[in-house]
Amino acid sequence: MAHVRDKHTHYESDADSSAGGEPVQDRLARPIRDLRISVTDKCNFRCPYCMPADRYGEGYPFLTRQDLLSFEEIVQLARAFARSGVRKLRLTGGEPLLRRDLSLLVEMLAGIDGIEDLALTTNGMLLKQHAVALRRAGLHRVTVSLDSLDDTAFAAMNGGRGSLGEVLDGIAAAAAAGLDPIKINVVVKRGVNDHTAAGLAEHFRGTGHIVRFIEYMDVGTLNDWRRTEVVPSAEVLGRIAEKFPVEPVDRDYPGEVAERYRYVDGAGEIGFISSVTAPFCGGCTRARLSADGKLFLCLFAKEGHDLRAPLREGADDGALEAVIRAIWGRRTDRYSEMRKNAGTTRGANQKVEMYHMGG
Ligand code: SAM
Ligand code: SF4
Ligand code: SF4
């Protein structure tokens, strides 16, 4: 079909079709290593720090089916990212388990050359029913977001939509399916769930699961973030260490975002992601792909780079790789460091929401 080939010619490349070239580096010499892929912008929770219910009510115009990348399109882009240097993929959203047949996508992604780690971040509500299929499809690990074991604080953190019992069952099912070690992500907000943080650490001591406390961040524009609501990681660590002595653990790899600690008595490990009090932009090797195919270079980016257009115009893997390398090669983002240095939030009204770009 000559007319189709004509349309495609613009994006065809001569590049070698195998993966594994040198990772592209940005202007600050940070290689691209991780890609977070958002598979939907919809969610069954309404965490006030992410998708407050009063702004995301019935009738909110979420992406249409046509807007969303298909599984084939996601896989083609993931291949191009792998050729550019990405070694780790994480599926996220929105709530990724709302995307139908997600295990099929996992299976397709697991087969990509160069991908060493394939993970999923979920709120856990639908995990029980999907854990075995995800594992069989080739998923390596899951991170479950769980902000409190106290019913009132749990409901306050997720907008009253979830069930604590379902999330705990989901974690158990994931562990039984072999999706471990499981990470439990806990956003800590002053006056809402901070009094329950040490209880979470205690609950998961000795299970092999790693609880990670995340400083509440000023992502997006809709959560009315206030610095006074941020609980510095040092404070949470202090409360836990009062009861269970801990010692620091070296980072696993350059670019790891969590500061790690282990219990001195050998009962496991906890982590802290301190993007407000101790930013880690210098080692940030992470790219984000939104469900409609935009590439974001920073969690606090004001805009994304459209990869869906070249994809739908017929770009081949080599051409997409060239586009990705060019975009990443110009990257200079280091928002959290700048926020810390300036002591303020810059351009606060123009950032893209986290559920959209993939948290
Ligand atoms: N729905 C899934 C979930 O909640 O795990 C995946 C998407 S969610 C956007 C990814 C992660 O971002 C979650 O662990 C969530 O707690 C975190 N998150 C969202 N908004 C945040 C904020 N304002 N500050 C810190 N973490 C946030
Ligand atoms: Fe949904 Fe996750 Fe955002 Fe909560 S943090 S609203 S579960 S996408
Ligand atoms: Fe990376 Fe941006 Fe976060 Fe810095 S602020 S660590 S550049 S995502």
Side-chain angles (χ1 to χ4, degrees):
M1 298 216 325
H3 64 283
V4 173
R5 286 215 55 83
D6 288 344
K7 185 176 148 204
H8 289 188
T9 306
H10 175 61
Y11 284 114
E12 279 173 359
S13 79
D14 303 328
D16 169 7
S17 66
S18 62
E22 280 297 302
V24 54
Q25 297 202 354
D26 68 10
R27 290 241 174 103
L28 304 176
R30 298 169 297 185
I32 194 169
R33 280 292 175 199
D34 323 71
L35 177 66
R36 301 174 81 97
I37 302 173
S38 174
V39 294
T40 178
D41 60 342
K42 297 199 175 104
C43 190
N44 45 359
F45 282 12
R46 284 294 180 275
C47 307
Y49 54 77
C50 179
M51 293 177 75
D54 54 344
R55 322 254 175 130
Y56 297 93
E58 295 294 320
Y60 182 84
F62 288 102
L63 295 172
T64 64
R65 205 181 165 73
Q66 188 52 30
D67 291 328
L68 287 182
L69 296 181
S70 67
F71 285 177
E72 288 71 20
E73 288 173 331
I74 291 173
V75 171
Q76 195 187 343
L77 282 175
R79 266 202 318 265
F81 276 100
R83 293 166 57 120
S84 306
V86 164
R87 295 290 167 264
K88 295 176 157 200
L89 298 179
R90 177 173 292 277
L91 297 175
T92 180
E95 173 45 44
L97 293 179
L98 289 179
R99 180 88 187 240
R100 202 183 308 153
D101 298 326
L102 192 72
S103 302
L104 186 59
L105 176 64
V106 168
E107 194 177 334
M108 293 160 79
L109 292 171
I112 295 179
D113 269 359
I115 296 304
E116 295 159 4
D117 191 24
L118 183 52
L120 168 82
T121 299
T122 170
N123 62 30
M125 270 301 282
L126 302 171
L127 190 53
K128 186 169 62 176
Q129 69 208 68
H130 293 295
V132 169
L134 289 166
R135 180 71 188 128
R136 285 202 184 125
L139 190 72
H140 298 149
R141 299 179 297 116
V142 284
T143 296
V144 180
S145 303
L146 170 57
D147 295 334
S148 184
L149 294 172
D150 171 90
D151 281 317
T152 309
F154 175 80
M157 291 299 281
N158 68 40
R161 302 271 177 118
S163 147
L164 182 54
E166 293 290 321
V167 177
L168 290 173
D169 285 354
I171 292 171
L179 289 165
D180 49 358
I182 294 169
K183 289 181 181 153
I184 316 277
N185 273 3
V186 185
V187 175
V188 185
K189 217 172 150 184
R190 190 171 306 280
V192 185
N193 70 333
D194 55 329
H195 60 295
T196 70
L200 259 165
E202 182 165 4
H203 179 85
F204 288 106
R205 262 169 56 83
T207 61
H209 308 336
I210 302 169
V211 180
R212 305 187 317 162
F213 298 94
I214 304 177
E215 287 177 349
Y216 172 40
M217 292 184 287
D218 51 329
V219 287
T221 57
L222 301 176
N223 58 16
D224 295 327
W225 185 84
R226 269 171 241 148
R227 208 181 173 103
T228 50
E229 293 173 322
V230 177
V231 183
S233 291
E235 193 178 319
V236 180
L237 174 64
R239 288 189 207 175
I240 295 169
E242 268 172 23
K243 205 160 171 198
F244 304 107
V246 293
E247 60 193 10
V249 182
D250 286 343
R251 287 185 195 232
D252 249 356
Y253 53 90
E256 183 175 16
V257 298
E259 296 149 42
R260 301 164 58 200
Y261 292 83
R262 72 176 144 241
Y263 295 111
V264 171
D265 66 4
E269 199 179 305
I270 52 176
F272 295 88
I273 299 174
S274 318
S275 129
V276 180
T277 61
F280 36 80
C281 302
C284 182
T285 57
R286 189 169 287 184
R288 294 180 158 80
L289 181 66
S290 67
D292 58 350
K294 291 203 179 76
L295 167 58
F296 291 92
L297 303 178
C298 176
L299 192 47
F300 300 92
K302 292 180 190 153
E303 57 192 21
H305 302 262
D306 184 16
L307 299 182
R308 192 182 62 187
L311 186 65
R312 292 194 175 166
E313 283 163 29
D316 65 12
D317 288 6
L320 289 170
E321 175 187 354
V323 172
I324 292 164
R325 283 182 177 272
I327 295 170
W328 188 268
R330 291 193 297 269
R331 176 181 189 243
T332 56
D333 303 67
R334 45 188 283 275
Y335 177 87
S336 290
E337 285 182 352
M338 288 164 61
R339 178 216 299 112
K340 185 160 165 72
N341 295 342
T344 177
T345 60
R346 190 183 52 92
N349 296 324
Q350 295 160 42
K351 293 174 293 187
V352 176
E353 306 307 319
M354 189 166 184
Y355 77 91
H356 176 72
M357 73 167 76

